[in-house]
Amino acid sequence: PVRIGQTTAHWYQIRLSNKQTGWIFGSLLNAFKPSAKAEIFRDIARQRLANPKYHFEGGIPVNQRLQDEIFAELTDLFDFLNRTSGEVDQTTEIAAELKLMRLQTLQRAGFAAWGNWDKAPYKAWLHTQQELGNMYYVDYGHMGWFVKPNLFWALSQQYRQWPIGEEIAWQAANLALGGECEGFIGCYLDLINSTTGQYLARYPNG
C-alpha cells in the first residue's frame, strides 16, 4: 500500500477499451458487482451530472476557462452511457434513467461546445452526432447545437408505464430550442403546441 495525503491504498493497473494502459489509485475506485451493475452505472452518472462545473446559463458554459475540460469530461460520460445503458435490463426504470441521462449529457456537451463549433475536437464530434440523428445546429437567434426533441419524446413513450416516463416528457417539453419567433404569433403557437401541448396531450392531468 501507498500513502497519499491521508489515504492509504494500492495502485492498480488498468486497461482501457482503446487498449491503452495506465495506473489508478485505489481510493478512486469502487467495488464492482455484476449483479448490481445497473445501480452502479446509474450512481456514477448521477454523481457526474451533479457536478456544479457542468452548469450552463442560456446554453453557455458558466466557466468558459474550463470549457475544453468540461467538453472532454461530458463527451467521456456520454460514451460511458452509450456503452452501459444497453447492458442492463431494458424493461426497468433504471434503464430509462440511464437513457435519460445519456440525452442530458449529450445536450450539456452541446452547450459546452459553445463558440467553438468549428474548432477541433468540437467540430468532428458535433457533426458525428448530427449524422447519427442526435443533434441539430441553429445558426441564428439562440445559436448552438441542440438534442433533437423527438429523442426525448420517443424515450418517454417507451417507458410510459413508469413514473419516469412522465418526467422524461416534462423534460422534453422544457428543452432548450434554438431560434427566435421574433413576434410571429404563429411561431409562438407552434412552439407551445410542440412542447407543452405535447406534454398535456400525453399527461392531461400533469
Side-chain angles (χ1 to χ4, degrees):
V2 176
R3 183 178 180 85
I4 297 180
Q6 302 299 316
T7 304
T8 300
H10 290 88
W11 283 94
Y12 293 87
Q13 188 175 40
I14 60 172
R15 183 181 178 88
L16 302 178
S17 57
N18 61 7
K19 298 184 179 180
Q20 289 185 326
T21 60
W23 294 86
I24 189 168
F25 195 54
S27 66
L28 301 175
L29 300 174
N30 291 321
F32 181 81
K33 297 180 180 179
S35 61
K37 63 181 179 180
E39 290 81 2
I40 293 171
F41 295 155
R42 178 197 61 196
D43 292 345
I44 290 173
R46 280 181 176 177
Q47 183 179 21
R48 292 282 294 277
L49 284 174
N51 191 326
K53 184 167 59 175
Y54 308 140
H55 178 62
F56 303 90
E57 290 182 359
I60 300 174
V62 171
N63 192 339
Q64 294 185 40
R65 182 176 58 84
L66 299 178
Q67 194 167 0
D68 289 348
E69 176 183 317
I70 291 171
F71 180 76
E73 292 176 0
L74 286 169
T75 52
D76 179 68
L77 177 58
F78 179 71
D79 290 342
F80 168 77
L81 288 167
N82 262 342
R83 294 193 308 270
T84 58
S85 61
E87 295 182 20
V88 304
D89 184 351
Q90 298 301 295
T91 63
T92 64
E93 200 163 11
I94 289 181
E97 185 176 356
L98 286 169
K99 291 179 179 180
L100 172 60
M101 289 191 288
R102 172 185 173 274
L103 293 178
Q104 293 172 328
T105 302
L106 179 63
Q107 183 58 82
R108 294 193 190 191
F111 288 158
W114 192 87
N116 290 322
W117 306 304
D118 292 324
K119 300 177 182 178
Y122 301 89
K123 182 177 180 179
W125 189 87
L126 291 167
H127 282 278
T128 295
Q129 298 308 318
Q130 184 179 45
E131 292 173 358
L132 292 172
N134 292 333
M135 304 188 81
Y136 66 99
Y137 176 66
V138 175
D139 61 359
Y140 61 92
H142 187 180
M143 297 175 62
W145 286 83
F146 302 89
V147 176
K148 289 190 173 181
N150 66 292
L151 299 179
F152 280 85
W153 292 117
L155 184 61
S156 171
Q157 181 67 16
Q158 181 182 355
Y159 291 99
R160 62 188 181 278
Q161 73 273 30
W162 299 98
I164 197 171
E166 184 274 334
E167 178 185 341
I168 298 170
W170 181 244
Q171 292 199 27
N174 288 277
L175 281 177
L177 301 174
E180 296 178 352
C181 287
E182 298 182 349
F184 180 50
I185 294 178
C187 174
Y188 290 119
L189 292 174
D190 182 68
L191 179 63
I192 293 171
N193 187 54
S194 64
T195 54
T196 307
Q198 274 214 55
Y199 172 80
L200 291 174
R202 297 164 188 248
Y203 298 94
N205 297 319

